[in-house]
Amino acid sequence: MHRAVEQGNFCLFLQAIAPAGNCNGQVTHYEILLRLEEDGKTTSPVEFIPAAERFGLMPVIDRWVVQNALALIGQQDPEGRNTYAINLSGLTLTDETFLDFLLGELNASGVSPSCLCFELTETSAIANFEEAILFIDTMREKGCRFALDDFGVGMSSLTYLKRLPVDFVKIDGSFVLGMLNDDSDRLTVEMINKIAHLSGKKTIAEFVETPELLEALRTMAVDYVQGYAIGRPEPFVPSEALRRRFASKAVFPDVVTISPEKTPGNNREKVRGGEGWRAAKVFLKTP
């Protein structure tokens, strides 16, 4: 894991997030997804994220994600026409230097804050509630938006929803995948959608993999959808000039040390695709 971090063996993909009522229109919202590539082998985040958390590497990787994402967005979408969602880990929320780092990188990049949406899992947001509130409030003042990811796994979080000033609630894909065959999953999706709307937040359903799921979510008035029925992840590829820039200098910031007692015990990352849980969330690669 340390070698992968030092060598930057990550690759960046984008996956579309489309309005449920108009999936065939122009997409302007994407989530940044990740795969790890080493020795010709592609490794799922299910395999390497736990190791990154165990060794306290997530804040380092998240910084690299921000640094590279801003460079790519600035090059390929300088007018800020699209929204790009970047996942942040619970460990990063406890890093007291990350907010200043992010503000500095954002200012230097020239990227409009309004085209960024940061995704926090409900588990990490609740486990680090005060840090999450400070981070969200500061970045929302700059124009960034926020999504609460994997919502519904910890149902105790319903009591926190009104207090978390997020713009989107992402309905956990495990409920979406089962909702056509399981009444409890369907009711859970309906409940989350209604509560989010009552709280003034838009909803995004994850893992929408069939036309039947898409139609059911439209009927429920879910706002946005994401999954293979909408579009598969596509490479977010830099130009040759940006490749040379990345190759000419190290892009990893200094290593950040996180004390073990601040490590959330149940933070998780998952992505559904193809025949199983596989590559996809959070980071990117120096090509």
Side-chain angles (χ1 to χ4, degrees), residues 70-84:
L70 291 176
L72 288 167
I73 294 167
Q75 180 199 58
Q76 299 197 25
D77 187 11
E79 297 178 358
R81 293 170 295 180
N82 299 318
T83 297
Y84 300 90

Side-chain angles (χ1 to χ4, degrees), residues 39-167:
D39 302 323
K41 177 184 176 183
T42 300
T43 304
S44 165
V46 173
E47 298 179 47
F48 68 80
I49 286 178
E53 292 176 336
R54 185 165 60 251
F55 292 110
L57 296 175
M58 292 301 293
V60 180
I61 296 174
D62 282 354
R63 287 176 180 234
W64 188 44
V65 173
V66 167
Q67 199 171 42
N68 285 271
L70 291 176
L72 288 167
I73 294 167
Q75 180 199 58
Q76 299 197 25
D77 187 11
E79 297 178 358
R81 293 170 295 180
N82 299 318
T83 297
Y84 300 90
I86 300 175
N87 289 262
L88 295 177
S89 69
L91 283 173
T92 294
L93 291 179
T94 66
D95 174 8
E96 296 178 355
T97 66
F98 179 77
L99 185 55
D100 287 340
F101 164 82
L102 176 58
L103 292 171
E105 290 294 319
L106 186 58
N107 183 62
S109 72
V111 170
S112 172
S114 63
C115 73
L116 298 180
C117 178
F118 293 101
E119 294 194 5
L120 311 174
T121 66
E122 65 160 329
T123 302
S124 66
I126 293 171
N128 308 284
F129 189 74
E130 297 304 325
E131 293 90 342
I133 290 292
L134 173 62
F135 182 78
I136 293 171
D137 285 346
T138 301
M139 297 310 299
R140 276 175 61 88
E141 287 181 4
K142 299 294 182 181
C144 298
R145 285 173 288 176
F146 281 82
L148 195 60
D149 197 13
D150 294 344
F151 192 83
V153 177
M155 295 305 287
S156 62
S157 60
L158 290 173
T159 60
Y160 290 87
L161 190 55
K162 285 186 177 181
R163 297 178 59 193
L164 284 167
V166 298
D167 304 274

Side-chain angles (χ1 to χ4, degrees), residues 237-253:
V237 182
S239 69
E240 286 303 316
L242 198 56
R243 287 179 186 272
R244 289 193 295 271
R245 172 189 159 189
F246 285 157
S248 67
K249 65 177 183 177
V251 294
F252 268 106

Side-chain angles (χ1 to χ4, degrees), residues 23 28 30 35 98 131 143 163 190 210 212 269 287:
C23 295
T28 60
Y30 299 89
R35 292 173 177 87
F98 179 77
E131 293 90 342
R163 297 178 59 193
E190 290 179 339
T210 67
E212 292 78 15
E269 299 285 350

